[in-house]
C-alpha cells in the first residue's frame, strides 16, 4: 500500500494508489475515482500531469 497526498478543491486528500480505478477529465477538472466509488476532484489541469504526479509522489507518512 502506498499513500499519497493529493490537492483537491476541498483541501488535501490522502489516497491509496492501489485503489485508483480511473482518472478522467470533466471540463477543466481531473477526477480520480477510487475503489470505493469515491471521486476526488483534483486541482490538476490534465490527465498527464495527474498520472506523472501519482507515479513520482513521495509516500505520505501517517501522523504528519
Amino acid at each position: 500500500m502506498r499513500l499519497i497526498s493529493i490537492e483537491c478543491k476541498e483541501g488535501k486528500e490522502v489516497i491509496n494508489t492501489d485503489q485508483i480505478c480511473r482518472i478522467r477529465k470533466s471540463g477543466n477538472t481531473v477526477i480520480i475515482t477510487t475503489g470505493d466509488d469515491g471521486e476526488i476532484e483534483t486541482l490538476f489541469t490534465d490527465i498527464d500531469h495527474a498520472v506523472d504526479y501519482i507515479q513520482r509522489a513521495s509516500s505520505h507518512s501517517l501522523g504528519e
Side-chain angles (χ1 to χ4, degrees), residues 3 10-12 15-17 20 23 28-29 33 35 37 39 42-43 47-48 50 54-55 60-63:
L3 300 174
E10 297 85 29
K12 280 189 179 181
I15 62 170
N16 177 355
T17 57
I20 296 173
I23 301 172
N28 292 327
T29 303
T33 304
D37 291 331
E39 290 192 340
T42 70
L43 298 180
I47 292 172
D48 291 333
I54 290 165
Q55 290 176 334
H60 182 79
S61 298
L62 297 177

Side-chain angles (χ1 to χ4, degrees), residues 7-23:
E7 293 283 337
C8 62
K9 293 184 178 186
E10 297 85 29
K12 280 189 179 181
E13 291 272 344
V14 176
I15 62 170
N16 177 355
T17 57
D18 295 337
Q19 295 294 315
I20 296 173
C21 294
R22 183 168 73 167
I23 301 172

Side-chain angles (χ1 to χ4, degrees), residues 29-48:
T29 303
V30 174
I31 299 173
I32 297 174
T33 304
T34 58
D36 60 357
D37 291 331
E39 290 192 340
I40 300 167
E41 292 186 23
T42 70
L43 298 180
F44 294 111
T45 55
D46 65 49
I47 292 172
D48 291 333

